[in-house]
Amino acid sequence: MTGLIALALGLGSALAFQPYALWPLMTLAFIGLCELIARAPTLRRALLLGWLFGVGQFVVGLNWIATAFTYQAAMPAWLGWIAVVLLSFYLAIYPMLGVGLAWRFGRDRPVALVLALAGGWAITEWLRATMFTGFAWNPVGVTLVDSDLLGTSKLIGTYGLSALVVLSAGAMWLVWKRALGPAAWVASGVLASAFLGVAFGDYQSDDYPPTPIRIVQPNIGQEDKWREGLADEAFQRLALLSADAADPAPRLLFWPEVAVPEPFAIMDPERRTLPVQLPTIPRAVQSIRPGDLLITGGFALIAGPDGKVTGNTNSVFAIDRGGAILGRYDKAHLVPYGEYLPMRPLLTSMGLSQLAPGQGDTNYGPGPRSIDLGVFGKMGLQICYEIIFSGDVVDDSNRPDFIFNPSNDAWFGAWGPPQHLAQARLRAAEEGLPVIRSTPTGISAVVDSNGLLRNSLPWRTAGVIDADLPPPGLPTPFARFGNLIPLTLGFLLLVSAIALGRRRR
C-alpha cells in the first residue's frame, strides 16, 4: 500500500512542473514522502519508496518524449511510451538514493531525516545531470522559477533551490509531527533564503548600450521539417518575418535551431570550413539589412579526403550581410538516440534509428564558448537542451554578454516547450546573463539576467519579437563558483543530519 502511495505522490508532484505549475503539489508530495520514509521498516523498503516516487514523477513529467516518436517513420510511435517508462526506471534511481540517505541517517530522528533528504536530493540531482552524459531535465528547484526565490539561484544554483523545496516541505512535516524546536531552525533557514532571493533579485549592470534584436519564429512543425521542398518554403517564411523593421538601427537577427534543412557548410574532420560554395548562406543573407548580423542555427556536413560525408554538426553561425561566417559554435552536449545512436551496429540491426534524420551521427563540439560580435558584444551559445545543464553553459574564461539558445521544441508537444523555457530562465538567473531563445514553433523568448520573462511568442504561432537586448548582470556568486556551492550545501546538510543523529544517541 505504501508503494502505491509513493507512486501516486510522484505522479501528482509532476504537475508542479510546467505547463501546469501547480507548485503546492510538490510541497505536499515531499511532506507525504517524509512520512513514508519515517514509517519504512527497512532500508530496502525506503529505497523502493524513493524509486516509485521517482518513477511517478518522471513518467508524467517526461511524457513529451513519447511525442518525439510520432514524427519519424523508422520506429513505431508506441515505442515512445516504452522509452519514457524505461528512462523513468533509470532516472528514478537518483531519488531512490536521496531517500535512502534520508532513511539511513534520519530514521527515528525527524529533523535529521529532513536535513538528509534535502542534502541528498541536491547531490543526487547533480549526479543525475552528470552520470552517463547526464539528463538534468526538471530538477525540483525549477518549480520556484515564478517565485521570489528565483533570485536565490544566483547564490546557490538550481540544486540548492531543490534543497530549499525539500527543506520547506520538511519543515511543514516537522510542525505536523510536533518536532517544533529544531523545526524552527529549518524554517528560519528557508525564510533567510527567501530574503537572499530578494537581495540577489536585481543584479544588473546599468551601463549597457541598447542593442536592437529580432527573434524569428516561423512556425514550421516537425511533421514538415524534412519533407521535400520545405527548404524553399522555410526560406520564404524566414525572409518574410525578417524583412520589415521600424527601427533602422543595426540589429541582431535570430533564427531557430537548424532553421532550414540544408547544410550551411562542409568541413573536414578537423572542423575547418572547406572552400565549397553552398547556396544556403547567399539565400539566408538576403534577409539581412546592411549592418545587421544573422545568428542562425544550421548544420554542417563533415567530409573525408575522398569527399564522402561521414557525419554532421548541429551548429550556430554568425553571418554578416556579405555572407562571411564571423563565428561558429558546434553543439557539444548531444542527445542520445536523438542526435546519435549508441551501439549503432547493434541497434540498427534491430531496426532502430536515431530520431533526428541525418547522414551518420552528429559530431560533438568542444563545449561552451563565446563569439565576439563586435559592436553587438560577446555571445555565448547553448543549442537546444544544452541549456538545462546548470553550471555548464558559459565559457568562464571569456564571459559573454548574453546567451543565445536556439532550439527545436517542435518535437515535444505541449509539455516540453514550457518546461524547457523554465529551465532556460534558471540559467539566466544563475549566471546573471540574458537568454535569447528562437524556436521554430515556440516558445521563443527574451529572458533578462534576473530570469524574468520579458517577451515571448506562444507555442504554434508564427511571429517575431522586436526588443532591445537586456543588459548583462554582474557575475553572480554561482557564476564564480558554480556547483561547488550547492554541492557544499548538500554535504553540509548531510553532515548536520549525521551529527544530529549521533548527538541524540
Side-chain angles (χ1 to χ4, degrees), residues 195-219:
F195 286 116
L196 280 174
V198 175
F200 282 100
D202 190 10
Y203 212 61
Q204 289 185 331
S205 171
D206 295 327
D207 185 19
Y208 192 78
T211 300
I213 64 172
R214 169 169 287 194
I215 301 170
V216 174
Q217 181 171 297
N219 195 28

Side-chain angles (χ1 to χ4, degrees), residues 107-424:
R107 65 185 187 277
D108 301 325
R109 298 181 295 279
V111 175
L113 186 153
V114 169
L115 295 176
L117 183 62
W121 205 275
I123 293 168
T124 55
E125 278 196 343
W126 174 81
L127 284 174
R128 173 161 67 90
T130 306
M131 301 296 291
F132 309 113
T133 77
F135 190 77
W137 199 275
N138 276 354
V140 165
V142 79
T143 58
L144 299 178
V145 75
D146 287 314
S147 75
D148 290 338
L149 283 168
L150 174 62
T152 311
S153 65
K154 295 178 181 292
L155 177 63
I156 61 174
T158 294
Y159 308 123
L161 286 185
S162 295
L164 287 185
V165 172
V166 179
L167 279 174
S168 60
M172 296 178 190
W173 177 70
L174 290 171
V175 171
W176 176 56
K177 298 291 286 186
R178 298 185 179 180
L180 298 180
W185 289 101
V186 177
S188 298
V190 173
L191 291 174
S193 297
F195 286 116
L196 280 174
V198 175
F200 282 100
D202 190 10
Y203 212 61
Q204 289 185 331
S205 171
D206 295 327
D207 185 19
Y208 192 78
T211 300
I213 64 172
R214 169 169 287 194
I215 301 170
V216 174
Q217 181 171 297
N219 195 28
I220 298 173
Q222 192 62 29
E223 65 276 10
D224 294 323
K225 184 74 176 178
W226 298 97
R227 66 174 168 79
E228 187 176 353
L230 189 276
D232 291 336
E233 183 180 338
F235 272 122
Q236 291 172 4
R237 291 196 197 186
L238 291 164
L240 182 64
L241 292 169
S242 303
D244 297 328
D247 188 350
R251 62 185 177 166
L252 289 173
L253 184 63
F254 294 101
W255 286 3
E257 178 185 12
V258 189
V260 292
E262 289 186 351
F264 275 75
I266 298 178
M267 300 185 293
D268 66 16
E270 300 298 322
R271 296 180 182 270
R272 292 188 295 262
T273 302
L274 301 177
V276 178
Q277 296 297 321
L278 297 176
T280 314
I281 289 180
R283 296 184 69 182
V285 298
Q286 293 177 10
S287 306
I288 306 176
R289 305 176 312 180
D292 289 357
L293 282 183
L294 173 63
I295 315 297
T296 179
F299 70 94
L301 301 178
I302 296 178
D306 58 357
K308 182 179 179 181
V309 174
T310 59
N312 60 82
T313 66
N314 186 351
S315 304
V316 173
F317 298 88
I319 308 171
D320 68 12
R321 182 69 175 85
I325 299 175
L326 305 182
R328 189 189 80 242
Y329 168 82
D330 300 333
K331 187 178 182 183
H333 213 126
L334 302 179
V335 182
Y337 304 98
E339 293 172 304
Y340 71 95
L341 194 64
M343 302 177 292
R344 177 174 284 275
L346 173 63
L347 295 183
T348 52
S349 68
M350 298 168 59
L352 301 180
S353 69
Q354 64 191 55
L355 294 177
Q359 303 186 54
D361 290 333
T362 302
N363 289 32
Y364 291 92
R369 58 169 297 193
S370 300
I371 295 177
D372 192 342
L373 301 178
V375 297
F376 295 109
K378 289 188 290 187
M379 172 178 65
L381 292 137
Q382 291 289 290
I383 298 176
C384 197
Y385 106 131
E386 287 186 307
I387 199 70
I388 72 173
F389 292 93
S390 175
D392 193 29
V393 298
V394 169
D395 181 355
D396 295 328
S397 65
N398 189 19
R399 179 175 167 85
D401 298 305
F402 68 96
I403 298 172
F404 178 41
N405 175 223
S407 185
N408 181 9
D409 291 355
W411 296 78
F412 303 141
W415 284 55
Q419 291 179 5
H420 205 176
L421 175 61
Q423 291 168 96

